[in-house]
Amino acid sequence: MDHRTADTSPAGPLQALPERPGSAPPQRPDLARELIARAEQASAQWSRRIRNELDDLRLGHVRHADHVNTKVLRRILAEYGWPGHRLVGRDGCHAAWQLALHADDANVQRSAALLLDRAVQTEDAPAWQWAHLHDRVLIHTGKPQEYGTQYTLTPQGVERYPVREPTGLDSRRARVGLPAASVAAATLRQRLASLPSQPGAAIDTGRGVQLASAA
């Protein structure tokens, strides 16, 4: 599946996130470094992909890298569950989320969403990350999304994928720490204004995934 997406994150792509005062160092800094390095290496390619700057050979390399990263993420999920703040710190958790959004295996994405939800319940990961991944899983299974984070580029411009019960959308978004849908959509369109139209390109509107996540 193709995951060309766009980021309107206030934090910006792969920007270091401030740790909470008094937070303990991650239990596995080595694992954190691996996740962050993989997300950083993939970030530039995701950006070029949404801009349609890759020829067939380079696009194949990007897809191969996504496949390798998916295998690594699958191994980490099997061994540790979701790599949350306590295990890999906020940046490591953020990087794992980025890799999950770009995973080329639907089963891995579903497993990641389930494990991330559990981490949210124990305050080991932010709820907004789960909301983006949950929406991604829903649209890939042909269901309406819950939080309105997923958009697509069409010849007419940016369009949001169908949402369940749109009248309750902003209430659901507020519960997971997301801004109002209209604010997020306006920010997304502003950031994409300079990009060429690419019909069928999926846009995840999360925080911090370079051209992969945005509202």
Side-chain angles (χ1 to χ4, degrees):
M1 62 184 78
D2 197 344
H3 297 312
R4 288 174 291 175
T5 61
D7 177 21
T8 62
S9 162
L14 294 172
Q15 182 173 334
L17 301 172
E19 294 290 347
R20 292 180 178 178
S23 59
Q27 299 167 359
R28 289 293 306 271
D30 56 323
L31 188 59
R33 287 192 293 269
E34 179 181 6
L35 287 167
I36 293 168
R38 288 185 176 278
E40 287 178 341
Q41 290 167 6
S43 174
Q45 299 307 314
W46 294 334
S47 177
R48 296 185 65 189
R49 189 173 184 175
I50 191 66
R51 289 179 168 84
N52 203 24
E53 295 176 351
L54 300 176
D55 57 27
D56 289 345
L57 178 61
R58 291 178 179 175
L59 183 58
H61 289 163
V62 172
R63 287 173 174 161
H64 176 70
D66 284 348
H67 180 67
V68 172
N69 287 336
T70 299
K71 290 179 65 176
V72 170
L73 183 62
R74 182 191 296 115
R75 171 182 58 80
I76 291 172
L77 294 177
E79 186 170 354
Y80 300 100
W82 183 257
H85 293 175
R86 288 186 278 275
L87 185 70
V88 295
R90 295 186 71 190
D91 288 346
C93 178
H94 190 75
W97 170 68
Q98 293 174 313
L99 296 179
L101 285 172
H102 287 274
D104 64 358
D105 186 318
N107 290 326
V108 171
Q109 283 191 326
R110 283 194 294 270
S111 296
L114 176 62
L115 293 170
L116 179 51
D117 184 32
R118 294 175 181 172
V120 170
Q121 303 310 314
T122 61
E123 299 185 346
D124 201 27
W128 61 261
Q129 287 183 353
W130 169 81
H132 289 283
L133 188 55
H134 180 63
D135 274 356
R136 180 64 69 88
V137 171
L138 287 174
I139 68 164
H140 283 162
T141 55
K143 299 176 182 178
Q145 56 180 329
E146 194 76 11
Y147 298 97
T149 64
Q150 307 294 308
Y151 286 70
T152 184
L153 286 172
T154 72
Q156 291 73 41
V158 178
E159 293 184 6
R160 188 174 61 204
Y161 279 100
V163 173
R164 183 187 69 82
E165 296 183 8
T167 56
L169 176 59
D170 280 347
S171 294
R172 295 195 298 273
R173 289 175 64 89
R175 286 198 293 269
V176 294
L178 290 170
S182 60
V183 173
T187 304
L188 173 59
R189 291 187 173 92
Q190 183 178 9
R191 287 207 179 180
L192 292 179
S194 62
L195 294 181
S197 177
Q198 298 175 50
I203 301 171
D204 168 21
T205 60
R207 290 197 288 174
V209 181
Q210 178 159 356
L211 300 175
S213 186

